[in-house]
Amino acid sequence: MEPGVSRTAMASSMAWWAKYSASRLLKHIQEVDIALGPFGVSEPRSKAADYTVPILVDYYTLLVQKAQPEVNPFGFLLPFDPMVWVGIMISFAVVLALLPLVTWALRSNLPHQWTRRLSNATFYTNVVFENIRVFCQQNLQMHLSMNSTRFLMAVWMLMVLVLLRSYNGALTSILAVRNIPIKIDTLRQLVDEPSFFVIIEASAVFMQHIMGSKQGIYADLMGTKQEGRMIEMTTTEMNIDGLERVRHGQHAFVLEELTLKTLMSQDFSKGGACHFYMIREKFMPFFFAMIGRKGSPLVPAISRRIEKMSAFGLYYKWIDMELSNATACLHSPSKVTVTEPYSILALSGVFGVLGIGIVFSIALLIIEICRKSAM
């Protein structure tokens, strides 16, 4: 069979399917000899029509809008995992507590002027700022006269040195990366996201299955219909109106993987860019086959030819020829690297931290001035 015949057959099948949706298929199957499809195999349909042997097994999945790369203003926090930041703060607090504690425990061995310092609140403030100076890689101004305090500070300085070297090396590369956020990557996330609408093929075999679900993820998916978040469309409506809704966000297709690949291939062929993202999760496999009239002798004859065609892999070969650009957007990266200068937006988080520090310093200055004026 020539590829041109394959394309014509597919186009004729899609036209027939647009005219006779799944709900009308059982009523009008007697009007035709064979329906190319392929159509999902289900028990209600098998009562009114005969299926050929399965042509393929296809899974359902989701198609959503592909987000654009965005700048993370708090990218300066990314070199370390949140638990590492927690560990740093805990270590900082431990050193702050141990340094005065060790000094106080050994106060009997200290000169008289050091004993007086321990009773002064300024001493503890200086301890705090000495540790901050270490973190900022500045020299120490406090004289450490005991070996225990020197060893404690040396360990803290070594830890800070290793952390800062690791942080500086990773930060440079991370600020040059743009993240592509993936808001919906599983069926559960789609169900739990109240701002997203579900577009599903009306009267499809998948719709028939989830309508009978009493519990689990498919029952929750059916619950979106009661919430007003499920939109049922015919195939023709999905290819026109539904695709535009997904393109503009807040909508997701629930369709067979092969159909979604077709839509992505056609969209890439037209615009040369990837506007959609097909999630990696697959669910609900179905057999797909051709349909004939009940008792038609054509069905077993075609089934024998389908078995031979499948054995040689012709069907999947034709699919690859039809979907020439299908793989262009299937494995698009979640991060992209740019070579442009750092923008103010990329460093806005750093400037925000600086602004908060300046405001806090001014507030402390005002408090100190007020306290001195009161004295």
Side-chain angles (χ1 to χ4, degrees):
M1 183 181 291
E2 295 295 329
V5 177
S6 174
R7 284 192 289 268
T8 304
M10 288 186 177
S12 301
S13 177
M14 291 301 295
W16 192 90
W17 174 247
K19 180 180 179 181
Y20 299 107
S21 62
S23 61
R24 301 175 62 193
L25 174 62
L26 304 181
K27 299 179 181 179
H28 297 275
I29 190 62
Q30 302 302 325
E31 299 179 8
V32 296
D33 295 316
I34 196 77
L36 297 181
F39 302 101
V41 177
S42 65
E43 184 180 3
R45 293 178 182 178
S46 64
K47 294 178 180 179
D50 284 341
Y51 282 98
T52 64
V53 295
I55 299 176
L56 78 157
V57 178
D58 205 356
Y59 290 79
Y60 273 78
T61 186
L62 304 180
L63 187 75
V64 295
Q65 178 200 42
K66 182 181 178 182
Q68 297 300 315
E70 64 179 20
V71 177
N72 187 354
F74 295 98
F76 65 94
L77 298 175
L78 292 178
F80 290 154
D81 185 85
M83 292 305 299
V84 176
W85 288 109
V86 172
I88 292 174
M89 289 186 287
I90 292 176
S91 302
F92 183 74
V94 169
V95 173
L96 288 182
L98 284 179
L99 191 59
L101 182 62
V102 172
T103 307
W104 179 265
L106 301 176
R107 65 186 182 279
S108 59
N109 299 328
L110 294 176
H112 180 65
Q113 63 269 22
W114 271 90
T115 306
R116 288 202 311 268
R117 289 181 184 179
L118 289 173
S119 60
N120 191 344
T122 307
F123 170 77
Y124 300 98
T125 305
N126 291 338
V127 170
V128 174
F129 282 101
E130 284 299 310
N131 284 276
I132 295 177
R133 290 174 67 84
V134 171
F135 210 79
C136 296
Q137 295 184 315
Q138 298 180 3
N139 64 311
L140 296 178
Q141 293 184 344
M142 179 182 289
H143 177 68
L144 303 176
S145 60
M146 295 179 296
N147 292 330
S148 57
T149 55
R150 291 174 181 174
F151 179 77
L152 178 63
M153 188 59 69
V155 173
W156 172 240
M157 293 174 69
L158 179 62
M159 173 185 171
V160 169
L161 177 64
V162 174
L163 288 173
L164 289 181
R165 293 292 184 182
S166 304
Y167 178 85
N168 292 337
L171 181 63
T172 303
S173 59
I174 286 179
L175 289 179
V177 171
R178 297 289 185 268
N179 294 313
I180 302 177
I182 300 176
K183 191 173 184 180
I184 303 296
D185 204 28
T186 64
L187 183 60
R188 171 54 64 186
Q189 291 177 348
L190 174 63
V191 172
D192 294 341
E193 179 54 56
S195 62
F196 259 77
F197 291 86
V198 181
I199 300 178
I200 196 167
E201 189 177 7
S203 304
V205 63
F206 178 73
M207 189 65 177
Q208 297 173 5
H209 178 81
I210 66 173
M211 288 177 63
S213 300
K214 302 300 181 183
Q215 59 183 0
I217 182 62
Y218 299 123
D220 296 339
L221 177 62
M222 199 61 198
T224 59
K225 184 174 184 178
Q226 300 176 353
E227 299 172 5
R229 295 196 293 123
M230 178 179 288
I231 303 173
E232 299 182 53
M233 293 184 177
T234 63
T235 303
T236 304
E237 293 172 340
M238 295 181 78
N239 290 338
I240 302 175
D241 181 49
L243 201 60
E244 286 302 313
R245 295 194 185 195
V246 175
R247 190 190 306 274
H248 293 92
Q250 304 308 115
H251 289 77
F253 268 160
V254 182
L255 271 174
E256 308 92 345
E257 183 179 6
L258 179 57
T259 304
L260 295 182
K261 286 182 179 180
T262 304
L263 296 176
M264 295 175 69
S265 173
Q266 294 172 351
D267 179 74
F268 184 84
S269 300
K270 291 179 181 178
C274 300
H275 301 108
F276 304 103
Y277 170 74
M278 187 169 65
I279 71 170
R280 303 182 187 278
E281 182 186 55
K282 307 293 185 292
F283 50 89
M284 191 56 66
F286 281 104
F287 288 107
F288 287 83
M290 298 168 65
I291 285 180
R293 277 190 291 225
K294 200 72 173 175
S296 172
L298 289 176
V299 173
I302 293 177
S303 293
R304 290 192 294 271
R305 286 162 175 79
I306 290 177
E307 290 176 344
K308 294 180 180 180
M309 178 186 69
S310 301
F312 286 96
L314 289 178
Y315 187 78
Y316 289 100
K317 177 63 177 179
W318 293 333
I319 289 178
D320 292 338
M321 296 175 63
E322 293 294 323
L323 308 180
S324 56
N325 294 319
T327 59
C329 304
L330 285 182
H331 305 294
S332 54
S334 59
K335 294 180 180 179
V336 293
T337 303
V338 296
T339 57
E340 61 186 26
Y342 296 146
S343 64
I344 187 65
L345 179 60
L347 299 176
S348 59
V350 177
F351 286 107
V353 173
L354 175 63
I356 294 174
I358 293 175
V359 172
F360 185 71
S361 302
I362 294 174
L364 290 178
L365 176 62
I366 295 174
I367 293 174
E368 290 179 353
I369 294 175
C370 294
R371 288 185 60 186
K372 289 185 178 180
S373 300
M375 296 174 59

